[in-house]
Amino acid sequence: MTRIYLEAGAKKVFACSLEWPGWCRSGKSEELAIEALAHYAPRYAVVAGRAGLPFAPGEPVVTERVKGGATTDFGAIEQHARADHEPVSAETAARDVALMRAAWQLFDETVAISPEELRKGPRGGGRDRTKMAAHVTEAERNYARQLGVRHPPYTSIADRDALREELAAVLGGPSQGPWETKWTPRYGVRRITWHVLDHLWEMEDRSA
């Protein structure tokens, strides 16, 4: 089985895998969110493959429901699940970071081959390639603060990569809690990886 939790706002529901960081999709109802999650399984398999991990998810099983808020309805996960407060083994941490690194690699590769001007959404909105890439990396710097990692604004790709390495080091080891940071490691790696993949898949779709 694939353990998932549901985060429900007033208008939107996210279905998130607990074992596969970043594999989260949303819908207007629980059923539609779970359906969207399953629909994206082949695309997540590419991430798992890049990380060198076999990916054969079973039937999704809802283990928890959490109440979302305005951020959920805006389109981003915002709540910890109970499982995010459990101890993290060295093996699990290393696996999670491998998936996060795979997402980073795939996103950077997609940026490199995508056109600058991306196809607009149904209402004419959406960032173009450079602005989307900047949004992802700047959000990452803000996310890192929630895990105790602080870097000044980037002046180069090397600065971005230095932050990523520090994040990987912070998230890649075993931890028992209680955590003094706002985000637990498991929530942090899920949120970071989800944000990268969400925009990776958007860029792929809007490049077509």
Side-chain angles (χ1 to χ4, degrees), residues 36-48:
L37 187 73
H39 180 71
Y40 272 76
R43 298 178 84 165
Y44 194 90
V46 176
V47 184

Side-chain angles (χ1 to χ4, degrees), residues 139-200:
E140 215 160 73
R141 193 170 67 87
N142 293 329
Y143 292 166
R145 294 193 190 104
Q146 313 307 316
L147 295 159
V149 176
R150 298 181 182 278
H151 278 236
Y154 302 136
T155 59
S156 66
I157 291 295
D159 289 346
R160 182 207 67 180
D161 291 346
L163 177 130
R164 286 181 172 179
E165 287 304 314
E166 190 170 345
L167 272 174
V170 166
L171 297 171
S175 55
Q176 297 292 322
W179 294 276
E180 296 181 359
T181 53
K182 184 175 181 180
W183 290 357
T184 68
R186 292 225 81 188
Y187 175 80
V189 75
R190 180 186 310 121
R191 176 69 176 266
I192 292 167
T193 308
W194 163 78
H195 192 243
V196 173
L197 293 180
D198 192 53
H199 287 294
L200 162 63

Side-chain angles (χ1 to χ4, degrees), residues 8-208:
K11 301 176 182 178
K12 187 172 291 187
V13 180
F14 273 93
C16 293
S17 169
L18 288 166
E19 285 90 2
W20 297 98
W23 188 24
C24 302
R25 303 314 295 164
S26 65
K28 292 183 178 179
S29 67
E30 291 187 356
E31 293 76 13
L32 290 174
I34 295 171
E35 183 180 313
L37 187 73
H39 180 71
Y40 272 76
R43 298 178 84 165
Y44 194 90
V46 176
V47 184
R50 176 62 64 92
L53 297 170
F55 181 71
E59 196 68 24
V61 175
V62 178
T63 61
E64 184 180 354
R65 288 172 169 83
V66 298
K67 183 176 176 57
T71 300
T72 314
D73 287 330
F74 180 74
I77 57 174
E78 65 169 323
Q79 298 295 336
H80 285 65
R82 284 193 302 270
D84 295 332
H85 297 277
E86 296 172 358
V88 182
S89 68
E91 180 181 7
T92 295
R95 178 180 176 278
D96 285 353
V97 166
L99 289 160
M100 182 174 67
R101 286 187 182 278
W104 283 334
Q105 292 169 8
L106 291 165
F107 182 79
D108 291 347
E109 290 169 10
T110 300
V111 170
I113 64 173
S114 295
E116 174 59 28
E117 186 174 341
L118 301 174
R119 180 169 49 82
K120 301 302 180 185
R123 298 182 181 178
R127 300 177 181 88
D128 284 330
R129 182 195 65 194
T130 300
K131 288 185 176 180
M132 190 186 299
H135 164 72
V136 168
T137 54
E138 185 58 25
E140 215 160 73
R141 193 170 67 87
N142 293 329
Y143 292 166
R145 294 193 190 104
Q146 313 307 316
L147 295 159
V149 176
R150 298 181 182 278
H151 278 236
Y154 302 136
T155 59
S156 66
I157 291 295
D159 289 346
R160 182 207 67 180
D161 291 346
L163 177 130
R164 286 181 172 179
E165 287 304 314
E166 190 170 345
L167 272 174
V170 166
L171 297 171
S175 55
Q176 297 292 322
W179 294 276
E180 296 181 359
T181 53
K182 184 175 181 180
W183 290 357
T184 68
R186 292 225 81 188
Y187 175 80
V189 75
R190 180 186 310 121
R191 176 69 176 266
I192 292 167
T193 308
W194 163 78
H195 192 243
V196 173
L197 293 180
D198 192 53
H199 287 294
L200 162 63
W201 293 332
E202 179 191 358
M203 190 175 295
E204 288 177 339
D205 292 343
R206 292 177 55 215
S207 294

